[in-house]
Amino acid sequence: MRVLLVGGGGREHALALGLVGDPGVSAVVAAPGNPGIASVAELRAVTPTDPAAVAALAVETAADLVVIGPEAPLVAGVADAVRAKGIAVFGPSGAAAQLEGSKAFAKDVMTAAGVPTARAYVCTDEESTARALDEFGAPYVVKDDGLAAGKGVVVTDDRAAALAHANECGRVVVEEFLDGPEVSLFVVTDGEAALPLLPAQDFKRLGDGDTGPNTGGMGAYAPLAWAPSGLVDEVMRDVVHPTLAEMRRRGTPFAGLLYVGLAITAAGPRVIEFNARFGDPETQVVLALLETPLGGLLHAAATGTLAEHPPLRWRDGSAVTVVLASAGYPAAPRTGDVITGAEGPGIIHAGTARRASDGALLSAGGRVLCGTATGADLAAARDAAYALVDGVELAGSQHRTDIATAAIEDRITIPG
Ligand code: AMP
């Protein structure tokens, strides 16, 4: 099986490693890829959000399967264009990707499907926003309705800051604050059958102790020893299958990766958000533990044959990933700094580039790379991931020092 992988971040580097490790995959072409992916796959240039260009590249590279990593191409309808060429694609249609593309649409589907989530209002003017903020009280949660790479959400006790964010965005979802530890659950689905992957936890805030601004994610670990037993079954029953049924009922079945972001509250799991693709950086840890060949799994989801797929197999132990971000991230990431020590196994590239003149590795984005490691237990995996990151030199870089620490120290508590 020949695979075309669309995207060029850390998630795609992790997907590329998973795909090349599948004996059923003969070749991986990545577009546009990145310098890390270049060590395992052929790179081709493409604008990932251009449906016609990606579809043409899929034909040209004789792809049997196209895997679309990021959300923007999905929302732009790239999966539709590839499917129209008769090529199997892992990733939802543009219409189904609205589960991520619009927070208001996602809330509407959740309400129709009876999915447990935060109460919310869609607001377009200051008066209705103020009313919603006052009804729910602090901490205030204000979400940009459109795609914002995980950075469109403000959670704050400062009412004026909440209002200012709403004004900047225009159309927002204001919702009640959900109190409890967060879980990311990835579900592979062909629209009807659905297989959950291992739950993971990521770290959205920039600073240790969950301080500072929201980011795309600063680290992750799996599995979650502290998660309530039966959590995955409950989420599949109460969230995933009702959502998939509602999407089928609307004539826009969701096939691909349904990312369920949850808060484990005193009242049980509540959906914080849906995404229409693998999460970054949780993908790095979940795929590090997946023993089942990745290409075959994604192909089954892409071809409506997931019901016949064997149960997933997982490696023993734990995985941790620690993100190294550039100076100024997330507000104003600085790029163009030289990176050293980033060539070894376990370093997943995200925002890196090669300098044309001498091939030096440079920072080229906010989240630059991450160190991903497995270990017999969470502490061993954490230590190994930090050893990888500590071996990288990048001027002004930032990373959290507490990834997985609360779980290792058994300090994660579910309210109530
Ligand atoms: P989202 O893009 O919707 O995942 O939001 C980004 C982050 O904001 C989440 O991972 C949470 O940490 C936080 N967040 C979003 N919605 C809520 C909520 N209703 N209650 C508490 N925290 C939230």
Side-chain angles (χ1 to χ4, degrees), residues 3 12 19 106 113 147 157 172 175 180 191 209 216-217 225 229 286 313 361 370 375 385 402 404 407 409:
V3 181
E12 286 76 29
L19 289 166
L147 279 188
D157 286 326
V172 293
E175 64 180 39
S229 66
V286 171
R313 296 191 317 274
L361 194 64
C370 44
D402 64 348
E409 294 174 358

Side-chain angles (χ1 to χ4, degrees), residues 103 141 143 153 175-178 182 204 214 272-273:
K103 302 260 185 207
V141 181
K143 302 184 175 189
V153 177
E175 64 180 39
E176 86 186 292
F177 179 78
L178 295 172
E182 289 181 39
K204 287 271 188 224
N214 263 327
I272 288 183
E273 63 163 345

